[in-house]
Amino acid sequence: MGQELEGLHSIGALARASGLSVSALRFYDAAGILRPAEVDATSGYRWYTTAQVTTARLIASLRRVSMPLTDINAVLAARHRPDEATRLLEEHLGRLEAGLLDARHQLDLARRLLAPALVTTEENPMTTMTVRATDLAAAFAAVRYAMSTDPELPALNGVLLDFDATTLRLAATDRFRLAVAGVATREPSGPACRVVAPVALIDALLQDSARTEATVAVELTESTVTIGDRTADGIDAAFPDYQQLLRNAPVESVRVRAENLVELVTAGPTRTLVQNPNNAPHEISALVVDGDTGTIEVTTDHPDAVGFNREFLLQALEAAGAEELVLALDGPIRPLAMWAPGRPDDMSLLMPTALG
């Protein structure tokens, strides 16, 4: 095992046994993840127990699969509670699998951009499915409010239709908020596909009150969207990795009646913020979400208050279209997440705004 002192292992011996570098072990000491059992007061040498060799190997294994340090800390804290530790590992595996799916999409796009002349009909097949017309309209309505109108961000000037071979998800974002809604599919056929539908198609579908059919056919390629008898070219720009934001959404939550929260935000105090001379003033609502008591407060002076654009917040509440909502907020630099009970995959995220 290398150099030892009264049953303890030097940092060099621990590095060789665990596969972690000496500099990494020093970093994990400073970060409070793996502190040495003893530190020589004169030389500053670090010494570790035999049990810490196993801990170091565990850390090395988790870091090789890119687990964040906060999650590694949680796994270490739960190592004697197998069910909880296993849940944390499975959650990270789920994030990795979702990231791999997105990577496949991006690499496929890169391949096509590198060799556009090689793209054939067979290489760009059509993906088809049938969905309930009311479900699709509700999903578009739930995300439409979060779209951007900035001409310099063309990928955000529409709604992403993201089909993963089983489920159709709609996503829209303007970088300050994100809305995602899922749509159940029937008889799906074809590969996974992502395409950004333009706003003109979305609004035409939402405004078409004459539609009475129970189901509607959806046909997607990487460059076109067809819904029923309407076809449009997709927006030729890469939509951001919205799934990364969802994977990092807060989990501590409270449950509220939507109408009560709307009244609270509407009547509550606000602050006016002008970010720069070219921007119109924004009204900011400062929220305090108390997970212990299950309450939400709108205030101007609470030390734990987190600010949000009041207009965006009210739009998200309206778009949710549910009598009850689950709200989650972990702190001043994390987004506010909201979803209807039983529908955690249909989520809105709002980025916080500085109160200063």
Side-chain angles (χ1 to χ4, degrees):
M1 183 66 70
Q3 183 180 2
E4 298 186 2
L5 178 65
E6 298 180 356
L8 298 178
H9 309 288
S10 69
I11 191 171
L14 182 61
R16 291 190 294 274
S18 65
L20 294 170
S21 67
V22 170
S23 60
L25 289 169
R26 288 173 179 155
F27 171 77
Y28 295 137
D29 176 11
I33 294 175
L34 180 58
R35 295 194 182 281
E38 292 186 16
V39 178
D40 188 286
T42 302
S43 65
Y45 289 163
R46 297 169 172 85
W47 300 91
Y48 297 83
T49 66
T50 298
Q52 287 180 301
V53 175
T54 300
T55 301
R57 288 173 176 167
L58 175 59
I59 293 172
S61 178
L62 297 177
R63 286 302 290 160
R64 289 188 190 106
V65 294
S66 303
M67 179 174 279
L69 295 182
T70 54
D71 291 346
I72 290 178
N73 253 338
V75 171
L76 294 178
R79 61 185 304 176
H80 300 302
R81 300 187 297 278
D83 290 345
E84 183 176 349
T86 298
R87 176 183 62 80
L88 292 167
L89 297 180
E90 290 298 322
E91 288 178 352
H92 185 64
L93 178 60
R95 291 191 291 268
L96 292 176
E97 290 173 340
L100 178 60
L101 179 62
D102 184 66
R104 290 185 187 279
H105 286 305
Q106 298 304 326
L107 290 174
D108 186 59
L109 174 61
R111 178 180 65 82
R112 294 173 185 277
L113 292 174
L114 286 169
L118 299 179
V119 177
T120 66
T121 302
E122 290 74 20
E123 291 175 320
N124 190 23
M126 180 177 294
T127 296
T128 63
M129 68 204 76
T130 301
V131 301
R132 287 176 56 88
T134 53
D135 290 350
L136 184 61
F140 273 125
V143 304
R144 169 68 175 82
Y145 80 95
M147 282 176 41
S148 172
T149 57
D150 187 343
E152 296 185 2
L153 300 170
L156 309 187
N157 295 168
V159 170
L160 174 70
L161 279 71
D162 184 3
F163 179 67
D164 64 3
T166 57
T167 302
L168 178 63
R169 292 183 178 86
L170 277 56
T173 181
D174 61 1
R175 299 183 303 167
F176 304 105
R177 48 194 172 165
L178 166 70
V180 178
V183 181
T185 63
R186 302 179 184 180
E187 302 178 348
S189 175
C193 184
R194 292 164 59 120
V195 59
V196 181
V199 64
L201 174 64
I202 298 162
D203 287 348
L205 292 168
L206 290 175
Q207 294 169 7
D208 190 354
S209 59
R211 290 185 176 274
T212 58
E213 64 267 28
T215 62
V216 62
V218 177
E219 298 176 351
L220 307 175
T221 72
E222 292 190 349
S223 58
T224 61
V225 182
T226 300
I227 299 176
D229 56 1
R230 298 182 183 276
T231 299
D233 291 333
I235 295 176
D236 186 15
F239 197 86
D241 181 10
Y242 71 95
Q243 292 177 334
Q244 178 65 36
L245 290 174
L246 296 181
R247 290 191 288 271
N248 294 330
V251 294
E252 297 295 331
S253 61
V254 297
R255 189 162 170 166
V256 298
R257 288 191 61 81
E259 62 179 359
N260 292 346
L261 184 55
V262 170
E263 292 176 0
L264 191 65
V265 173
T266 302
T270 63
R271 295 186 185 183
T272 300
L273 176 68
V274 179
Q275 294 179 326
N276 64 61
N278 297 322
N279 288 344
H282 296 291
E283 286 190 332
I284 304 301
S285 294
L287 303 185
V288 180
V289 177
D290 191 331
D292 294 330
T293 62
T295 60
I296 298 176
E297 180 182 359
V298 179
T299 180
T300 57
D301 55 10
H302 194 288
D304 295 328
V306 182
F308 296 94
N309 182 303
R310 181 172 177 265
E311 179 184 1
F312 288 178
L313 179 56
L314 290 172
Q315 287 176 345
L317 292 171
E318 179 183 2
E323 292 185 358
E324 289 191 313
L325 290 173
V326 179
L327 268 69
L329 178 62
D330 285 350
I333 62 173
R334 297 289 299 278
L336 172 70
M338 67 176 70
W339 63 91
R343 289 161 45 196
D345 292 334
D346 296 356
M347 182 182 293
S348 287
L349 297 180
L350 273 70
M351 298 303 297
T353 300
L355 293 173

